[in-house]
Amino acid sequence: MQFAPIALFVYNRLQHVQCCIESLRKNFLSGESELFIFSDGAKSPDQEENVFAVRKYIHNIKGFKQLHIIECAENKGLAFSIISGVTDLVNRYGKIIVLEDDLVVSPWFLTFMNDALEIYKDEENVVNINGHLLKGKEPFPETFLLSFANSWGWGTWKRGWDLFETDGNKLLSELKNRNMTREFDFGGAYHFTRMLKEQIEGKNNSWAIRWNASVFLNNKLSLNAGRSLVANNGFDGTGTHCDKYELFTTDLYTGQVKVEKLPFLVENKSARMMLGRIYRFDNSYYNKIRVRILNFLHR
């Protein structure tokens, strides 16, 4: 098997990059994987020192089959960096595994992603692999299919990424014309449609909401790990968009999630309802108040 290249997008948080790399290096397939690190430029002079510290560190990374570093002289932002970087690599390699610098992964993450990318490589209706899963009260199946793309530790093929629509207006119009906004929002459990509207209005620059909508509107599926192989440790107040505490929680699973081709390549409606219940609770008024109090107390 030819292992998928890993694309890691970094900016100015050295400690987070170090944690991400250390978790990746503990993966059983790290020594057989090529790692591409995309380093964005500083937004302002006061960030140059932090960006330089990250770049000094990444140039000395060991433990991978090959290391490639792509440094941007200017600040392009995460959306531009991911869209351009993923496009380049899938055009060259045909598949990809994507991470951001505030993610920590299980030792079995690369195994799961590469197995899934291999087993489902010829299934046209499966276009994405999700390694992250929110914490819920009910157990999910070992693997399951959803028409939903998660941005925290994911993978795809060129045939999947070719469906990516960058124009948020087109995506929103189609959601409305097909009367699918409520379904896109997991029955109203979470405001994905609002996120897309805010991207159009320039209130956010999310590539992820456009990728999610592209998968959903094309009636395509993502294979999901039934236990999360990815955790986000960026909710410590250092991120551009993150407070110390976050609404959504995850338990990092350090065991193996085995990938076998599912007998029916259709969306798992029960799993969709389960994830919807998690979104509904985590996005509830009670949970928002709880998280706000925690962030206030830890300022």
Side-chain angles (χ1 to χ4, degrees):
M1 182 196 308
Q2 181 182 1
F3 298 112
I6 307 162
L8 172 61
F9 295 87
V10 306
Y11 179 44
N12 66 348
R13 294 189 288 176
L14 176 59
Q15 185 176 358
H16 293 80
V17 177
Q18 291 172 328
C19 289
C20 181
I21 290 296
E22 286 307 309
S23 70
L24 258 181
R25 195 157 28 203
K26 292 176 183 177
N27 269 252
F28 303 107
L29 297 182
S30 60
E32 302 177 67
S33 303
E34 290 190 50
L35 176 61
F36 291 78
I37 302 182
F38 295 83
S39 171
D40 203 4
K43 287 183 181 178
S44 57
D46 65 317
Q47 290 301 321
E48 290 176 358
E49 183 177 349
N50 292 332
V51 170
F52 175 78
V54 169
R55 290 181 174 179
K56 182 179 179 180
Y57 167 75
I58 61 178
H59 276 279
N60 293 292
I61 289 173
K62 308 293 183 184
F64 298 88
K65 181 179 180 180
Q66 198 167 353
L67 176 65
H68 310 266
I69 296 175
I70 301 92
E71 295 180 354
C72 187
E74 301 174 358
N75 182 268
K76 299 294 187 180
L78 183 60
F80 177 90
S81 297
I82 287 185
I83 292 170
S84 60
V86 171
T87 301
D88 175 55
L89 290 184
V90 295
N91 285 340
R92 291 162 55 189
Y93 291 85
K95 57 184 176 180
I96 192 172
I97 296 168
V98 186
L99 291 166
E100 296 174 32
D101 58 7
D102 55 5
L103 301 178
V104 173
V105 300
S106 159
W108 290 98
F109 171 74
L110 292 180
T111 301
F112 172 81
M113 297 300 291
N114 279 287
D115 286 350
L117 288 167
E118 178 65 21
I119 290 171
Y120 287 89
K121 65 181 179 181
D122 296 321
E123 297 297 338
E124 290 295 321
N125 284 333
V126 181
V127 299
N128 181 67
I129 312 296
N130 292 328
H132 175 268
L133 184 65
L134 292 174
K135 179 182 178 180
K137 296 180 180 179
E138 309 164 81
F140 283 88
E142 187 78 354
T143 62
F144 57 94
L145 293 166
L146 288 182
S147 186
F148 170 71
N150 190 321
S151 63
W152 290 351
W154 59 283
T156 190
W157 304 265
K158 183 183 186 306
R159 59 175 174 78
W161 192 245
D162 284 346
L163 299 174
F164 180 54
E165 174 56 67
T166 60
D167 189 335
N169 274 303
K170 288 183 180 179
L171 295 166
L172 182 60
S173 295
E174 189 171 352
L175 281 169
K176 289 180 176 179
N177 292 339
R178 292 166 59 181
N179 196 28
M180 297 180 75
T181 57
R182 185 169 178 79
E183 184 181 353
F184 183 56
D185 291 348
F186 281 80
Y190 194 69
H191 48 262
F192 290 111
T193 300
R194 190 177 81 191
M195 289 175 63
L196 183 58
K197 290 178 181 177
E198 291 175 348
Q199 186 276 321
I200 295 166
E201 295 167 358
K203 295 179 180 178
N204 70 56
N205 192 25
S206 174
W207 64 271
I209 191 62
R210 288 174 282 169
W211 175 226
N212 185 18
S214 298
V215 171
F216 180 78
L217 286 168
N218 280 282
N219 298 312
K220 300 300 184 181
L221 299 167
S222 297
L223 182 79
N224 297 261
R227 284 169 284 192
S228 191
L229 300 173
V230 184
N232 191 319
N233 71 347
F235 299 105
D236 56 359
T238 64
T240 302
H241 306 291
C242 300
D243 290 319
K244 183 175 179 61
Y245 291 90
E246 163 66 347
L247 295 176
F248 305 102
T249 58
T250 301
D251 284 337
L252 182 66
Y253 181 65
T254 57
Q256 184 175 10
V257 176
K258 295 183 179 179
V259 183
E260 296 179 355
K261 185 173 288 188
L262 295 169
F264 303 103
L265 299 183
V266 295
E267 182 171 65
N268 187 317
K269 298 300 183 183
S270 295
R272 187 175 188 86
M273 291 176 64
M274 290 165 62
L275 190 55
R277 286 194 288 272
I278 296 172
Y279 274 117
R280 193 174 299 279
F281 172 78
D282 287 353
N283 197 43
S284 66
Y285 178 77
Y286 161 79
N287 199 39
K288 287 179 178 178
I289 293 298
R290 181 186 68 85
V291 170
R292 286 175 183 171
I293 291 172
L294 286 171
N295 280 314
F296 177 78
L297 292 175
H298 291 84
R299 283 178 179 174

